[in-house]
Amino acid sequence: MMVKCVIWDLDNTLLSGVYLETAARPPAPDPAMLAVLRQLSARGIIHAIATRNPPEAARYAAAVTGLDFAAAESGWGRKSDAVRRIITDLGLGPDAVAFVDDDLYERAEVSLAVPEALVLSPEDMAEAVGWPEFSPATVTAEGARRGELYAQRRRRQEEARAFAGSRDEFLRYCGTRVAIGPAADADAPRLHELSVRTHQFNTTGEAMAEAELRALIASPAHQVATVRLSDRFGDDGLVGGCVSHRGPGPGWTVTLLMMSCRALGRGVIEALLAWLARSAARDGAQELVVPCLVTPRNVPLRLALAASGFRAPEDTGTAERPRVARFARTLSGPPPPLPGWVTAPGEP
Amino acid sequence: MSVVSAGVVGELRQILVQATGREELLDTSDQTPLFGAGVGLDSLSGVMLLREVHRRFGVDVAAEDLNLDALATLATLAAFIEERAG
């Protein structure tokens, strides 16, 4: 089904920041999303806004992008209700709209309430311009492949909803394969891309340049690992990575940890944290340290750290501004188990 | 620790079922660990749970609890909420 209208979230999606936090000098449009917006407009696809902001935020977005939005829903209700109102106002079918939001909760909420809609993260949206749903005339092989990935994800989600059992049972049922391995020079572009696009699972919140990644991959003092994910529904390729090194003292430090949100709920981040703890312990380390920027956006990462036994001292800064907390996990005692579907260096 | 009302725990149990999509978690004891085997709270279900708690009780657990210790069990989460919601 062709998408006729894209419904955009504003904060940290179409705008490169939060409108109300900086209302005196509102954030500029996100350059990647602005490019997508213009490309899709040129193909005749219309746009709408669904935002938890006062109406002036939508007017600001229209002015700053130079685009007419066909509809704008502003307010603090459920995003799915805003999406439904836009669908009704514009006289569209629910399967003719896409919804883009950086927040995984909002995406999950809209997916459940309007299952026919195409629900995308900004990371997905940057690629989706090449999908058949957005570009009947100009589909490339790569675009078609990535569109297929999304279809696979939807089939997996549908089965997950119908599946009775724990998450691990579902992952086994799917034939999940998580492959952790040493990064090669050729992985640098994708790792750079992940450092730019991941927010909910990213410990630093900063892009890492390809050149820096190449240097770290070549450095004998650092370990750069990649994570690849596949199951019987499809192959997601390289979905995550991390950079770590020995020290300080008898510990190991992970200076960057990141994962695509398309791997969410599939045991990937947990597998990576468990493998890091196991390899550091094998190396004789007594502690695994993961310094992590604390922001409202990477709460999913903090949940994964908490679930994997990491703790940070509470006295680091204030709740108002982002700060780096030193999450650490002791390596005394038995190492965390690694599920059977994970293959990794040093593991049988 | 304050005495936690069964009402809050019951409501949290409902939210947990909604967040995980697993009906069988209606039997979760208020002392069952939420992380790890059993409930197996993960990033997605955890975020759903935290948002719904924020919406219904007005308590932003993630902003106030760096280590998310409140998510140890339904009892600790209920206590955390009752302490703040007053």
PDB file of all heavy atoms in Angstrom, chain A residues 244-273:
ATOM      1  N   SER A 244      35.680  -0.805  23.819  1.00  0.00           N
ATOM      2  CA  SER A 244      36.094  -0.980  25.207  1.00  0.00           C
ATOM      3  C   SER A 244      37.609  -1.091  25.299  1.00  0.00           C
ATOM      4  O   SER A 244      38.290  -1.310  24.303  1.00  0.00           O
ATOM      5  CB  SER A 244      35.425  -2.215  25.816  1.00  0.00           C
ATOM      6  OG  SER A 244      35.645  -3.346  25.006  1.00  0.00           O
ATOM      7  N   HIS A 245      38.101  -0.905  26.510  1.00  0.00           N
ATOM      8  CA  HIS A 245      39.544  -1.050  26.744  1.00  0.00           C
ATOM      9  C   HIS A 245      39.789  -1.447  28.190  1.00  0.00           C
ATOM     10  O   HIS A 245      38.911  -1.302  29.047  1.00  0.00           O
ATOM     11  CB  HIS A 245      40.282   0.255  26.395  1.00  0.00           C
ATOM     12  CG  HIS A 245      39.903   1.416  27.272  1.00  0.00           C
ATOM     13  ND1 HIS A 245      40.352   1.578  28.559  1.00  0.00           N
ATOM     14  CD2 HIS A 245      39.083   2.467  27.040  1.00  0.00           C
ATOM     15  CE1 HIS A 245      39.847   2.680  29.076  1.00  0.00           C
ATOM     16  NE2 HIS A 245      39.057   3.233  28.184  1.00  0.00           N
ATOM     17  N   ARG A 246      41.012  -1.977  28.450  1.00  0.00           N
ATOM     18  CA  ARG A 246      41.417  -2.327  29.812  1.00  0.00           C
ATOM     19  C   ARG A 246      41.583  -1.073  30.641  1.00  0.00           C
ATOM     20  O   ARG A 246      42.001  -0.046  30.137  1.00  0.00           O
ATOM     21  CB  ARG A 246      42.754  -3.049  29.777  1.00  0.00           C
ATOM     22  CG  ARG A 246      42.606  -4.515  29.577  1.00  0.00           C
ATOM     23  CD  ARG A 246      43.936  -5.201  29.872  1.00  0.00           C
ATOM     24  NE  ARG A 246      43.874  -6.538  29.308  1.00  0.00           N
ATOM     25  CZ  ARG A 246      44.915  -7.181  28.826  1.00  0.00           C
ATOM     26  NH1 ARG A 246      46.094  -6.627  28.836  1.00  0.00           N
ATOM     27  NH2 ARG A 246      44.761  -8.393  28.347  1.00  0.00           N
ATOM     28  N   GLY A 247      41.289  -1.190  31.937  1.00  0.00           N
ATOM     29  CA  GLY A 247      41.506  -0.083  32.843  1.00  0.00           C
ATOM     30  C   GLY A 247      40.241   0.710  33.080  1.00  0.00           C
ATOM     31  O   GLY A 247      39.218   0.434  32.437  1.00  0.00           O
ATOM     32  N   PRO A 248      40.208   1.659  34.012  1.00  0.00           N
ATOM     33  CA  PRO A 248      41.347   1.958  34.875  1.00  0.00           C
ATOM     34  C   PRO A 248      41.523   0.886  35.946  1.00  0.00           C
ATOM     35  O   PRO A 248      40.538   0.275  36.372  1.00  0.00           O
ATOM     36  CB  PRO A 248      40.936   3.296  35.518  1.00  0.00           C
ATOM     37  CG  PRO A 248      39.455   3.263  35.530  1.00  0.00           C
ATOM     38  CD  PRO A 248      39.027   2.461  34.335  1.00  0.00           C
ATOM     39  N   GLY A 249      42.772   0.693  36.395  1.00  0.00           N
ATOM     40  CA  GLY A 249      43.047  -0.312  37.421  1.00  0.00           C
ATOM     41  C   GLY A 249      42.632  -1.681  36.961  1.00  0.00           C
ATOM     42  O   GLY A 249      42.781  -2.008  35.775  1.00  0.00           O
ATOM     43  N   PRO A 250      42.071  -2.464  37.856  1.00  0.00           N
ATOM     44  CA  PRO A 250      41.748  -3.847  37.509  1.00  0.00           C
ATOM     45  C   PRO A 250      40.387  -3.978  36.829  1.00  0.00           C
ATOM     46  O   PRO A 250      39.707  -4.978  37.005  1.00  0.00           O
ATOM     47  CB  PRO A 250      41.765  -4.541  38.868  1.00  0.00           C
ATOM     48  CG  PRO A 250      41.318  -3.479  39.817  1.00  0.00           C
ATOM     49  CD  PRO A 250      41.773  -2.159  39.267  1.00  0.00           C
ATOM     50  N   GLY A 251      39.975  -2.962  36.075  1.00  0.00           N
ATOM     51  CA  GLY A 251      38.659  -3.018  35.451  1.00  0.00           C
ATOM     52  C   GLY A 251      38.729  -2.938  33.936  1.00  0.00           C
ATOM     53  O   GLY A 251      39.796  -2.839  33.342  1.00  0.00           O
ATOM     54  N   TRP A 252      37.563  -3.006  33.339  1.00  0.00           N
ATOM     55  CA  TRP A 252      37.398  -2.765  31.907  1.00  0.00           C
ATOM     56  C   TRP A 252      36.411  -1.618  31.760  1.00  0.00           C
ATOM     57  O   TRP A 252      35.444  -1.536  32.520  1.00  0.00           O
ATOM     58  CB  TRP A 252      36.816  -4.004  31.221  1.00  0.00           C
ATOM     59  CG  TRP A 252      37.805  -4.907  30.581  1.00  0.00           C
ATOM     60  CD1 TRP A 252      38.951  -5.384  31.137  1.00  0.00           C
ATOM     61  CD2 TRP A 252      37.705  -5.479  29.260  1.00  0.00           C
ATOM     62  NE1 TRP A 252      39.582  -6.221  30.255  1.00  0.00           N
ATOM     63  CE2 TRP A 252      38.846  -6.296  29.087  1.00  0.00           C
ATOM     64  CE3 TRP A 252      36.781  -5.378  28.223  1.00  0.00           C
ATOM     65  CZ2 TRP A 252      39.076  -7.007  27.921  1.00  0.00           C
ATOM     66  CZ3 TRP A 252      37.000  -6.078  27.062  1.00  0.00           C
ATOM     67  CH2 TRP A 252      38.146  -6.883  26.901  1.00  0.00           C
ATOM     68  N   THR A 253      36.620  -0.760  30.764  1.00  0.00           N
ATOM     69  CA  THR A 253      35.709   0.357  30.545  1.00  0.00           C
ATOM     70  C   THR A 253      35.134   0.295  29.133  1.00  0.00           C
ATOM     71  O   THR A 253      35.873   0.062  28.172  1.00  0.00           O
ATOM     72  CB  THR A 253      36.447   1.700  30.746  1.00  0.00           C
ATOM     73  OG1 THR A 253      36.989   1.738  32.063  1.00  0.00           O
ATOM     74  CG2 THR A 253      35.493   2.872  30.571  1.00  0.00           C
ATOM     75  N   VAL A 254      33.842   0.487  29.037  1.00  0.00           N
ATOM     76  CA  VAL A 254      33.170   0.534  27.737  1.00  0.00           C
ATOM     77  C   VAL A 254      32.933   2.008  27.411  1.00  0.00           C
ATOM     78  O   VAL A 254      32.093   2.655  28.033  1.00  0.00           O
ATOM     79  CB  VAL A 254      31.835  -0.234  27.767  1.00  0.00           C
ATOM     80  CG1 VAL A 254      31.170  -0.213  26.406  1.00  0.00           C
ATOM     81  CG2 VAL A 254      32.075  -1.673  28.220  1.00  0.00           C
ATOM     82  N   THR A 255      33.680   2.557  26.461  1.00  0.00           N
ATOM     83  CA  THR A 255      33.578   3.995  26.200  1.00  0.00           C
ATOM     84  C   THR A 255      32.424   4.339  25.266  1.00  0.00           C
ATOM     85  O   THR A 255      31.986   5.483  25.203  1.00  0.00           O
ATOM     86  CB  THR A 255      34.884   4.549  25.601  1.00  0.00           C
ATOM     87  OG1 THR A 255      35.262   3.722  24.502  1.00  0.00           O
ATOM     88  CG2 THR A 255      35.994   4.538  26.630  1.00  0.00           C
ATOM     89  N   LEU A 256      31.958   3.359  24.512  1.00  0.00           N
ATOM     90  CA  LEU A 256      30.800   3.591  23.649  1.00  0.00           C
ATOM     91  C   LEU A 256      30.022   2.292  23.518  1.00  0.00           C
ATOM     92  O   LEU A 256      30.606   1.231  23.288  1.00  0.00           O
ATOM     93  CB  LEU A 256      31.252   4.055  22.253  1.00  0.00           C
ATOM     94  CG  LEU A 256      30.159   4.138  21.179  1.00  0.00           C
ATOM     95  CD1 LEU A 256      29.095   5.164  21.534  1.00  0.00           C
ATOM     96  CD2 LEU A 256      30.748   4.467  19.812  1.00  0.00           C
ATOM     97  N   LEU A 257      28.721   2.399  23.721  1.00  0.00           N
ATOM     98  CA  LEU A 257      27.851   1.241  23.553  1.00  0.00           C
ATOM     99  C   LEU A 257      26.625   1.751  22.812  1.00  0.00           C
ATOM    100  O   LEU A 257      26.019   2.742  23.221  1.00  0.00           O
ATOM    101  CB  LEU A 257      27.466   0.681  24.926  1.00  0.00           C
ATOM    102  CG  LEU A 257      26.554  -0.531  24.979  1.00  0.00           C
ATOM    103  CD1 LEU A 257      27.339  -1.795  24.644  1.00  0.00           C
ATOM    104  CD2 LEU A 257      25.941  -0.673  26.360  1.00  0.00           C
ATOM    105  N   MET A 258      26.273   1.106  21.719  1.00  0.00           N
ATOM    106  CA  MET A 258      25.124   1.602  20.963  1.00  0.00           C
ATOM    107  C   MET A 258      24.402   0.463  20.252  1.00  0.00           C
ATOM    108  O   MET A 258      25.008  -0.542  19.896  1.00  0.00           O
ATOM    109  CB  MET A 258      25.581   2.651  19.940  1.00  0.00           C
ATOM    110  CG  MET A 258      26.657   2.149  19.016  1.00  0.00           C
ATOM    111  SD  MET A 258      27.377   3.499  18.064  1.00  0.00           S
ATOM    112  CE  MET A 258      28.514   2.563  17.033  1.00  0.00           C
ATOM    113  N   MET A 259      23.110   0.652  20.091  1.00  0.00           N
ATOM    114  CA  MET A 259      22.313  -0.368  19.419  1.00  0.00           C
ATOM    115  C   MET A 259      21.139   0.285  18.711  1.00  0.00           C
ATOM    116  O   MET A 259      20.527   1.219  19.227  1.00  0.00           O
ATOM    117  CB  MET A 259      21.795  -1.380  20.438  1.00  0.00           C
ATOM    118  CG  MET A 259      21.160  -2.597  19.797  1.00  0.00           C
ATOM    119  SD  MET A 259      20.284  -3.608  20.997  1.00  0.00           S
ATOM    120  CE  MET A 259      18.751  -2.696  21.146  1.00  0.00           C
ATOM    121  N   SER A 260      20.848  -0.196  17.526  1.00  0.00           N
ATOM    122  CA  SER A 260      19.694   0.288  16.765  1.00  0.00           C
ATOM    123  C   SER A 260      18.408  -0.116  17.479  1.00  0.00           C
ATOM    124  O   SER A 260      18.307  -1.218  18.013  1.00  0.00           O
ATOM    125  CB  SER A 260      19.735  -0.338  15.373  1.00  0.00           C
ATOM    126  OG  SER A 260      18.473  -0.224  14.766  1.00  0.00           O
ATOM    127  N   CYS A 261      17.401   0.769  17.440  1.00  0.00           N
ATOM    128  CA  CYS A 261      16.162   0.406  18.134  1.00  0.00           C
ATOM    129  C   CYS A 261      15.399  -0.674  17.384  1.00  0.00           C
ATOM    130  O   CYS A 261      14.459  -1.228  17.900  1.00  0.00           O
ATOM    131  CB  CYS A 261      15.300   1.627  18.423  1.00  0.00           C
ATOM    132  SG  CYS A 261      14.811   2.522  16.978  1.00  0.00           S
ATOM    133  N   ARG A 262      15.826  -1.020  16.163  1.00  0.00           N
ATOM    134  CA  ARG A 262      15.132  -2.116  15.478  1.00  0.00           C
ATOM    135  C   ARG A 262      15.469  -3.461  16.125  1.00  0.00           C
ATOM    136  O   ARG A 262      14.805  -4.456  15.876  1.00  0.00           O
ATOM    137  CB  ARG A 262      15.443  -2.108  13.984  1.00  0.00           C
ATOM    138  CG  ARG A 262      16.817  -2.587  13.612  1.00  0.00           C
ATOM    139  CD  ARG A 262      17.010  -2.532  12.123  1.00  0.00           C
ATOM    140  NE  ARG A 262      16.621  -1.221  11.603  1.00  0.00           N
ATOM    141  CZ  ARG A 262      17.152  -0.664  10.531  1.00  0.00           C
ATOM    142  NH1 ARG A 262      18.072  -1.300   9.853  1.00  0.00           N
ATOM    143  NH2 ARG A 262      16.764   0.510  10.122  1.00  0.00           N
ATOM    144  N   ALA A 263      16.524  -3.486  16.975  1.00  0.00           N
ATOM    145  CA  ALA A 263      16.875  -4.720  17.684  1.00  0.00           C
ATOM    146  C   ALA A 263      16.190  -4.796  19.047  1.00  0.00           C
ATOM    147  O   ALA A 263      16.383  -5.745  19.791  1.00  0.00           O
ATOM    148  CB  ALA A 263      18.388  -4.803  17.854  1.00  0.00           C
ATOM    149  N   LEU A 264      15.360  -3.784  19.327  1.00  0.00           N
ATOM    150  CA  LEU A 264      14.700  -3.686  20.621  1.00  0.00           C
ATOM    151  C   LEU A 264      13.848  -4.918  20.933  1.00  0.00           C
ATOM    152  O   LEU A 264      13.150  -5.426  20.068  1.00  0.00           O
ATOM    153  CB  LEU A 264      13.790  -2.461  20.583  1.00  0.00           C
ATOM    154  CG  LEU A 264      13.062  -2.144  21.858  1.00  0.00           C
ATOM    155  CD1 LEU A 264      14.014  -1.516  22.824  1.00  0.00           C
ATOM    156  CD2 LEU A 264      11.913  -1.219  21.571  1.00  0.00           C
ATOM    157  N   GLY A 265      13.922  -5.349  22.188  1.00  0.00           N
ATOM    158  CA  GLY A 265      13.073  -6.449  22.628  1.00  0.00           C
ATOM    159  C   GLY A 265      13.499  -7.795  22.101  1.00  0.00           C
ATOM    160  O   GLY A 265      12.761  -8.771  22.191  1.00  0.00           O
ATOM    161  N   ARG A 266      14.728  -7.856  21.527  1.00  0.00           N
ATOM    162  CA  ARG A 266      15.169  -9.125  20.954  1.00  0.00           C
ATOM    163  C   ARG A 266      16.439  -9.640  21.637  1.00  0.00           C
ATOM    164  O   ARG A 266      17.182 -10.427  21.075  1.00  0.00           O
ATOM    165  CB  ARG A 266      15.335  -8.956  19.436  1.00  0.00           C
ATOM    166  CG  ARG A 266      13.960  -8.684  18.791  1.00  0.00           C
ATOM    167  CD  ARG A 266      14.055  -8.285  17.352  1.00  0.00           C
ATOM    168  NE  ARG A 266      14.600  -9.343  16.538  1.00  0.00           N
ATOM    169  CZ  ARG A 266      15.004  -9.171  15.283  1.00  0.00           C
ATOM    170  NH1 ARG A 266      14.912  -7.987  14.729  1.00  0.00           N
ATOM    171  NH2 ARG A 266      15.485 -10.168  14.592  1.00  0.00           N
ATOM    172  N   GLY A 267      16.657  -9.166  22.852  1.00  0.00           N
ATOM    173  CA  GLY A 267      17.724  -9.731  23.687  1.00  0.00           C
ATOM    174  C   GLY A 267      19.129  -9.335  23.277  1.00  0.00           C
ATOM    175  O   GLY A 267      20.094  -9.905  23.780  1.00  0.00           O
ATOM    176  N   VAL A 268      19.259  -8.358  22.381  1.00  0.00           N
ATOM    177  CA  VAL A 268      20.583  -8.046  21.826  1.00  0.00           C
ATOM    178  C   VAL A 268      21.454  -7.283  22.825  1.00  0.00           C
ATOM    179  O   VAL A 268      22.603  -7.635  23.062  1.00  0.00           O
ATOM    180  CB  VAL A 268      20.445  -7.246  20.515  1.00  0.00           C
ATOM    181  CG1 VAL A 268      21.813  -6.847  19.982  1.00  0.00           C
ATOM    182  CG2 VAL A 268      19.708  -8.084  19.483  1.00  0.00           C
ATOM    183  N   ILE A 269      20.912  -6.225  23.418  1.00  0.00           N
ATOM    184  CA  ILE A 269      21.707  -5.412  24.330  1.00  0.00           C
ATOM    185  C   ILE A 269      22.100  -6.243  25.559  1.00  0.00           C
ATOM    186  O   ILE A 269      23.221  -6.159  26.054  1.00  0.00           O
ATOM    187  CB  ILE A 269      20.957  -4.101  24.703  1.00  0.00           C
ATOM    188  CG1 ILE A 269      21.938  -3.093  25.294  1.00  0.00           C
ATOM    189  CG2 ILE A 269      19.819  -4.315  25.636  1.00  0.00           C
ATOM    190  CD1 ILE A 269      22.336  -2.017  24.333  1.00  0.00           C
ATOM    191  N   GLU A 270      21.171  -7.085  26.020  1.00  0.00           N
ATOM    192  CA  GLU A 270      21.466  -7.950  27.161  1.00  0.00           C
ATOM    193  C   GLU A 270      22.599  -8.920  26.816  1.00  0.00           C
ATOM    194  O   GLU A 270      23.489  -9.168  27.628  1.00  0.00           O
ATOM    195  CB  GLU A 270      20.221  -8.747  27.579  1.00  0.00           C
ATOM    196  CG  GLU A 270      19.080  -7.886  28.126  1.00  0.00           C
ATOM    197  CD  GLU A 270      18.162  -7.314  27.051  1.00  0.00           C
ATOM    198  OE1 GLU A 270      18.495  -7.398  25.838  1.00  0.00           O
ATOM    199  OE2 GLU A 270      17.109  -6.775  27.416  1.00  0.00           O
ATOM    200  N   ALA A 271      22.563  -9.475  25.586  1.00  0.00           N
ATOM    201  CA  ALA A 271      23.605 -10.417  25.154  1.00  0.00           C
ATOM    202  C   ALA A 271      24.956  -9.709  25.097  1.00  0.00           C
ATOM    203  O   ALA A 271      25.978 -10.246  25.535  1.00  0.00           O
ATOM    204  CB  ALA A 271      23.250 -11.000  23.785  1.00  0.00           C
ATOM    205  N   LEU A 272      24.942  -8.481  24.581  1.00  0.00           N
ATOM    206  CA  LEU A 272      26.198  -7.736  24.454  1.00  0.00           C
ATOM    207  C   LEU A 272      26.777  -7.419  25.834  1.00  0.00           C
ATOM    208  O   LEU A 272      27.984  -7.599  26.074  1.00  0.00           O
ATOM    209  CB  LEU A 272      25.944  -6.450  23.668  1.00  0.00           C
ATOM    210  CG  LEU A 272      27.154  -5.581  23.332  1.00  0.00           C
ATOM    211  CD1 LEU A 272      28.201  -6.380  22.566  1.00  0.00           C
ATOM    212  CD2 LEU A 272      26.732  -4.357  22.515  1.00  0.00           C
ATOM    213  N   LEU A 273      25.928  -6.985  26.772  1.00  0.00           N
ATOM    214  CA  LEU A 273      26.406  -6.676  28.124  1.00  0.00           C
ATOM    215  C   LEU A 273      26.923  -7.937  28.817  1.00  0.00           C
ATOM    216  O   LEU A 273      27.951  -7.904  29.503  1.00  0.00           O
ATOM    217  CB  LEU A 273      25.289  -6.019  28.952  1.00  0.00           C
ATOM    218  CG  LEU A 273      24.941  -4.576  28.544  1.00  0.00           C
ATOM    219  CD1 LEU A 273      23.654  -4.112  29.221  1.00  0.00           C
ATOM    220  CD2 LEU A 273      26.086  -3.612  28.889  1.00  0.00           C
TER     221      LEU A 273
END
